[in-house]
């Protein structure tokens, strides 16, 4: 496939658009002119971009849950509960797994069966099937900004529909919604398909409508070293900016060591801004999102609240613009609306208590920020080099070569040669570098940190540490020590 | 000692990749020849891989609750494909929600699985069982 990191012409965009809108009957409902008029009437408090900008300026951290069910009325009931009883600042609509695979006929069955059963048989909101009309109903029923959250490699039609329905944010990206979510989808295809989504947002920006875009930060949610997820976020941020996106939220999933987590968010925000400036995108507004622990949770609800509160505290101390909230039912499956609201309240309590406080700079924090930035820069440089200066081509080649390598990803387009593990303080380090283009200095720091743990535990550095770390939090600790 | 070949994978529409990678690593470390068909794998992929590699065992993972539906008929299809008496193992979160484990185990054994593992079972335990089943050390 012929891809380039170059803003699509209107001709290219509108040619593909015909095909996209014919993928399912509800595509016909999307009328760009009507959508522009509708979006222009979105009030400030329901506009995702403006609410994030205001939060950043005021130095507060907003709380956003995940939630979605099959039917419109039930979905509205769920979101209203999270808004009124949970006190959410921003609302999501989590999209179901069939929609993520573009299986809209199966969604239709899911919708019908859910009506019959009186409960949701889909694990999210089938936005394409409900169409612009259905998305507008949801938007009009709530009093907060709405974002689609999913995991869809080809989200072009979904994106058209949600934005026309008044939803002013969309999560995803060509890398972050492919490598962790698919097995066989080529990376150049998803980068192209997400360029389409970004180009649509760019088109709206040209009409004076600013829609927020959020690359999915946590990736596989399993011991992803900060520089790896930051690199992916920065690549996707730059690709979005080229297509005309003006409001970007870059994200990171909690690893667990507070100094490293704070460093990750601060490095991400400043490096994203540096890269945007360097490549000539001067009018892009950058905010950050911190995801509470994405790995395995303890079954005990009280313990789960401990995990949720620690993540909230870190988000506040890091100064993240928003935090994505987990629930006490995380270990069991899809939460009830009550459990979901509890997660938000626990989060907001912690955020309120820490309001205005930041983790002060220290030698440790400074070193950690410098290390994350240096590692990220190695991967970014090599990616640009492989693409001969073109980031889209470079990204495809970087994944082929394992220059950027996401741990535990299902995709065959990911090398899977890199292996992470925690150091003695719980920070996530690189255990096997695979083909990562790191300098000897960086390798040495990572090795030394893991050797400290090995010495403390009286066992060699190795994959057994990784395995123990993966199960540690659900068993009640951060670092997976050898079992006595 | 001749290396035993084991086909592993995550069955059905399930994209949970972490445990799959751990099992791959641990089995390889223990001296097995591992054929990993990865996540989102239909029954046919398990069987084709086993036929092509003359595998000694198939180890099925399922994490998302639909394991019971996804695993039905696997033994019969193995028989049809000429994989007579191939050892079948299954583990993960193989059913929806909390259920009586003895009943779940019986259901899967009736389906023709040789061994059935409850949620959270350490892979080392499975490896010990496989070694026992093939009279290795």
């Amino acid at each position: 496939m012929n891809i380039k990191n170059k803003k699509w012409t209107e001709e290219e965009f509108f040619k593909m658009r015909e095909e996209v809108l014919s993928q399912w009957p509800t595509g016909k409902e999307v009328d760009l002119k009507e959508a522009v008029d509708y979006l222009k009437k979105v009030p400030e408090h329901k506009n995702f971009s403006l609410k994030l900008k205001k939060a950043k300026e005021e130095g507060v951290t907003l709380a956003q849950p995940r939630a979605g069910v099959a039917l419109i009325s039930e979905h509205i009931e769920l979101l209203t509960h999270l808004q009124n009883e949970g006190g959410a600042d921003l609302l999501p609509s989590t999209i179901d797994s069939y929609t993520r695979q573009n299986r809209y006929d199966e969604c239709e069955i899911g919708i019908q069966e859910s009506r019959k059963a009186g409960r949701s048989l889909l694990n999210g909101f089938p936005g394409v099937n409900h169409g612009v009309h259905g998305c507008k109903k949801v938007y009009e029923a709530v009093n907060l900004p709405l974002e689609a959250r999913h995991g869809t490699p080809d989200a072009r039609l979904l994106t058209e529909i949600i934005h026309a329905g008044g939803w002013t944010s969309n999560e995803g990206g060509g890398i972050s919604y492919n490598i962790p979510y698919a097995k066989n989808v080529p990376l150049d295809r998803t980068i192209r398909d997400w360029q389409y989504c970004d180009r649509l947002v760019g088109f709206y920006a040209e009409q004076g409508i600013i829609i927020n875009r959020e690359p999915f930060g946590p990736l596989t949610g399993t011991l992803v070293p900060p520089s790896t997820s930051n690199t992916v976020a920065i690549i996707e941020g730059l690709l979005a900016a080229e297509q005309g996106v003006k409001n970007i939220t870059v994200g990171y999933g909690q690893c667990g060591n507070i100094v490293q987590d704070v460093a990750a968010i601060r490095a991400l925000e400043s490096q994203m801004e540096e890269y945007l400036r360097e490549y000539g995108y001067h009018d892009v507004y950058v905010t950050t999102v911190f995801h509470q622990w994405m790995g395995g949770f303890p079954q005990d609800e009280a313990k789960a609240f401990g995990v949720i509160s620690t993540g909230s505290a870190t988000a506040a101390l890091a100064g993240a613009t928003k935090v994505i909230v987990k629930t006490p039912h995380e270990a069991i499956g899809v939460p009830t609306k009550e459990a979901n609201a509890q997660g938000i309240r626990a989060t907001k309590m912690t955020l309120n208590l820490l309001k205005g406080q930041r983790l002060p700079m220290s030698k440790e924090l400074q070193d950690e920020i410098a290390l994350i930035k240096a590692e990220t820069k190695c991967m970014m440089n090599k990616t640009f080099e492989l693409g001969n200066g073109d980031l889209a081509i470079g990204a495809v080649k970087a994944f082929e070569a394992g220059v950027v390598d996401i741990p535990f990803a299902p995709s065959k387009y990911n090398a899977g040669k890199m292996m992470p593990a925690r150091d003695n303080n719980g920070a996530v380090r690189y255990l096997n570098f695979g083909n990562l283009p790191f300098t000897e200095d960086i390798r040495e720091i990572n090795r030394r940190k893991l050797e400290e743990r090995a010495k403390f535990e009286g066992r060699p550095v190795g994959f057994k540490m990784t395995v123990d770390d993966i199960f540690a939090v659900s068993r009640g600790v951060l670092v997976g020590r050898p079992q006595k | 000692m001749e290396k035993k070949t084991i086909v592993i994978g995550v069955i059905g529409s399930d994209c949970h990749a972490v445990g799959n990678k751990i099992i791959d690593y641990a089995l390889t470390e223990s001296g097995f020849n591992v054929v990993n068909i990865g996540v989102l794998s239909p029954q046919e992929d398990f069987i084709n891989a086993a036929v092509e590699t003359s595998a000694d065992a198939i180890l099925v993972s399922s994490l998302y609750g639909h394991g019971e539906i996804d695993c039905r008929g696997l033994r019969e299809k193995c028989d049809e494909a000429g994989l007579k008496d191939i050892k079948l193992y299954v583990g993960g979160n193989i059913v929806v929600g909390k259920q009586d484990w003895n009943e779940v185990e019986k259901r899967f054994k009736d389906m023709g699985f040789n061994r059935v593992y409850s949620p959270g079972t350490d892979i080392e335990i499975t490896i010990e069982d496989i070694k026992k089943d093939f009279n290795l050390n």
Side-chain angles (χ1 to χ4, degrees):
Chain A
M1 191 175 289
N2 194 7
I3 57 161
K4 273 198 302 235
N5 179 30
K6 181 96 183 76
K7 185 172 177 177
W8 292 18
T9 63
E10 289 214 349
E11 197 195 340
E12 285 170 308
F13 176 71
F14 282 101
K15 192 166 164 243
M16 183 181 277
R17 192 163 183 273
E18 276 176 40
E19 176 208 317
V20 169
L21 296 185
S22 65
Q23 287 169 347
W24 188 254
T26 50
K28 285 195 221 63
E29 293 173 22
V30 188
D31 180 303
L32 263 187
K33 171 111 190 20
E34 263 178 47
V36 167
D37 292 342
Y38 192 74
L39 282 163
K40 279 194 171 161
K41 284 187 230 129
V42 173
E44 199 179 319
H45 70 280
K46 287 176 79 170
N47 179 306
F48 223 99
S49 302
L50 294 178
K51 185 141 184 183
L52 286 171
K53 190 161 184 267
K54 191 160 173 264
K56 181 168 169 168
E57 282 162 7
E58 290 172 356
V60 297
T61 303
L62 304 174
Q64 182 182 14
R66 293 187 181 83
V69 288
L71 304 179
I72 297 170
S73 52
E74 278 76 3
H75 188 59
I76 289 173
E77 190 190 319
L78 170 60
L79 293 187
T80 308
H81 185 85
L82 301 181
Q83 172 186 281
N84 297 344
E85 308 304 320
D89 300 303
L90 300 161
L91 287 176
S93 289
T94 301
I95 305 297
D96 73 286
S97 293
Y98 290 143
T99 301
R100 298 180 191 196
Q101 302 293 324
N102 310 106
R103 293 191 189 141
Y104 309 123
D105 44 357
E106 290 180 44
C107 293
E108 210 55 44
I109 296 168
I111 292 169
Q112 282 161 17
E113 303 243 321
S114 300
R115 276 200 194 110
K116 270 186 234 154
R119 64 187 165 87
S120 182
L121 289 167
L122 296 178
N123 59 2
F125 183 79
V128 168
N129 291 62
H130 289 315
V132 176
H133 179 71
C135 289
K136 277 186 182 172
K137 268 193 176 169
V138 176
Y139 162 78
E140 283 165 16
V142 298
N143 209 23
L144 295 170
L146 268 173
E147 175 184 42
R149 306 188 64 85
H150 35 126
T152 313
D154 176 5
R156 292 172 297 170
L157 180 56
L158 178 67
T159 300
E160 286 273 4
I161 287 172
I162 56 149
H163 293 325
W167 301 11
T168 45
S169 178
N170 191 16
E171 190 192 49
I175 300 166
S176 62
Y177 269 11
N178 176 348
I179 304 296
Y181 285 102
K183 180 177 168 181
N184 276 325
V185 185
L187 195 53
D188 53 353
R189 191 192 301 167
T190 48
I191 288 179
R192 184 204 61 172
D193 289 346
W194 276 92
Q195 280 180 326
Y196 180 95
C197 300
D198 288 331
R199 187 67 193 85
L200 177 65
V201 170
F203 173 85
Y204 280 124
E206 288 156 14
Q207 322 301 314
I209 296 155
I210 305 303
I211 287 172
N212 171 255
R213 279 277 295 113
E214 179 186 339
F216 176 58
L219 304 174
T220 53
T222 307
L223 300 177
V224 182
S227 54
T228 290
S229 51
N230 284 8
T231 299
V232 173
I234 290 167
I235 293 173
E236 290 188 353
L238 288 171
L239 294 176
E242 175 61 26
Q243 299 303 324
V245 173
K246 303 294 180 199
N247 193 289
I248 295 173
T249 305
V250 278
Y252 164 78
Q254 178 184 15
C255 280
N257 172 289
I258 286 197
V259 172
Q260 186 182 43
D261 284 338
V262 170
I265 283 284
R266 296 202 185 153
L268 177 59
E269 187 169 25
S270 74
Q271 241 172 347
M272 183 76 250
E273 282 175 345
E274 286 162 26
Y275 274 101
L276 284 168
R277 267 200 307 276
E278 189 183 334
Y279 286 87
Y281 309 109
H282 297 291
D283 54 353
V284 178
Y285 198 83
V286 177
T287 49
T288 54
V289 51
F290 184 87
H291 291 249
Q292 293 176 2
W293 178 246
M294 291 289 283
F297 255 66
Q299 299 247 350
D300 177 5
E301 294 190 16
K303 290 182 181 173
F305 280 120
V307 180
I308 289 168
S309 301
T310 310
S312 310
T314 311
L317 294 173
T321 324
K322 71 170 180 176
V323 57
I324 303 291
V325 176
K326 285 282 183 178
T327 82
H329 285 182
E330 182 60 31
I332 304 141
V334 180
T336 59
K337 64 178 192 290
E338 289 79 14
N340 207 332
Q342 285 179 336
I344 308 170
R345 287 204 299 275
T347 298
K348 296 258 309 188
M349 183 70 201
T350 309
L351 293 175
N352 287 344
L353 291 177
L354 289 170
K355 194 172 172 183
Q357 297 187 50
R358 294 286 179 271
L359 194 70
M361 191 51 79
S362 59
K363 173 80 171 57
E364 289 79 6
L365 183 54
Q366 203 171 359
D367 288 351
E368 203 60 59
I369 291 173
L371 178 63
I372 293 169
K373 282 188 166 185
E375 290 172 349
T376 304
K377 200 156 179 31
C378 288
M379 291 186 266
M380 289 300 297
N381 285 349
K382 191 75 189 170
T383 302
F384 274 113
E385 188 191 312
L386 288 170
N388 277 324
D390 186 290
L391 191 57
I393 298 168
V396 173
K397 291 193 171 166
F399 272 87
E400 253 169 40
V403 157
V404 185
D405 194 348
I406 297 172
F408 309 106
S411 173
K412 69 177 190 190
Y413 295 95
N414 183 68
K417 291 197 164 106
M418 182 273 276
M419 197 55 72
R422 292 190 188 282
D423 70 16
N424 214 30
N425 292 318
V428 175
R429 306 293 176 194
Y430 292 92
L431 187 152
N432 282 338
F433 297 103
N435 295 333
L436 299 185
F438 287 163
T439 60
E440 194 44 44
D441 286 2
I442 291 173
R443 287 167 197 267
E444 183 49 36
I445 295 171
N446 277 274
R447 273 189 220 117
R448 196 183 65 231
K449 299 264 185 196
L450 289 169
E451 281 301 335
E452 281 169 14
R453 172 176 173 187
K455 200 173 161 208
F456 179 84
E457 292 179 354
R459 61 170 170 177
V461 171
F463 185 67
K464 193 77 186 73
M465 287 178 173
T466 314
V467 175
D468 291 337
D469 289 343
I470 287 170
F471 298 109
V473 172
S474 59
R475 288 173 182 164
V477 290
L478 183 62
V479 183
R481 305 291 186 193
Q483 280 160 2
K484 294 268 154 53
Chain B
M1 183 192 80
E2 163 214 14
K3 269 193 175 184
K4 294 288 174 193
T5 297
I6 303 180
V7 172
I8 69 167
V10 186
I11 202 163
S13 305
D14 190 339
C15 74
H16 286 93
V18 179
N20 172 257
K21 308 258 171 195
I22 292 172
I23 291 170
D24 189 337
Y25 184 90
L27 285 173
T28 307
E29 284 280 286
S30 303
F32 292 97
N33 178 29
V34 179
V35 180
N36 187 356
I37 60 168
V39 300
L40 297 160
S41 294
Q43 288 187 358
E44 291 69 28
D45 289 10
F46 282 91
I47 290 166
N48 292 340
V51 171
E52 278 164 29
T53 60
S54 312
D56 302 284
I58 296 175
L59 202 156
V60 177
S61 301
S62 178
L63 271 296
Y64 72 147
H66 295 186
E68 197 174 338
I69 301 167
D70 293 337
C71 288
R72 267 183 216 145
L74 181 63
R75 172 58 78 189
E76 289 74 12
K77 283 195 194 137
C78 283
D79 289 347
E80 283 166 28
L83 296 167
K84 272 264 177 238
D85 303 324
I86 189 167
K87 298 270 188 220
L88 295 181
Y89 304 84
V90 64
N93 295 329
I94 55 179
V95 291
V96 175
K98 261 194 179 161
Q99 300 184 22
D100 179 69
W101 179 249
N102 291 326
E103 277 177 32
V104 173
E105 187 178 21
K106 183 171 180 311
R107 238 180 283 156
F108 277 80
K109 285 206 162 163
D110 289 346
M111 271 190 240
F113 284 90
N114 299 80
R115 291 183 187 269
V116 187
Y117 295 97
S118 57
T121 304
D122 200 319
I123 185 62
E124 305 298 334
I125 290 169
T126 310
I127 290 172
E128 282 311 305
D129 286 344
I130 297 172
K131 285 184 176 169
K132 228 181 280 166
D133 292 348
F134 288 101
N135 299 314
L136 307 171
N137 56 42

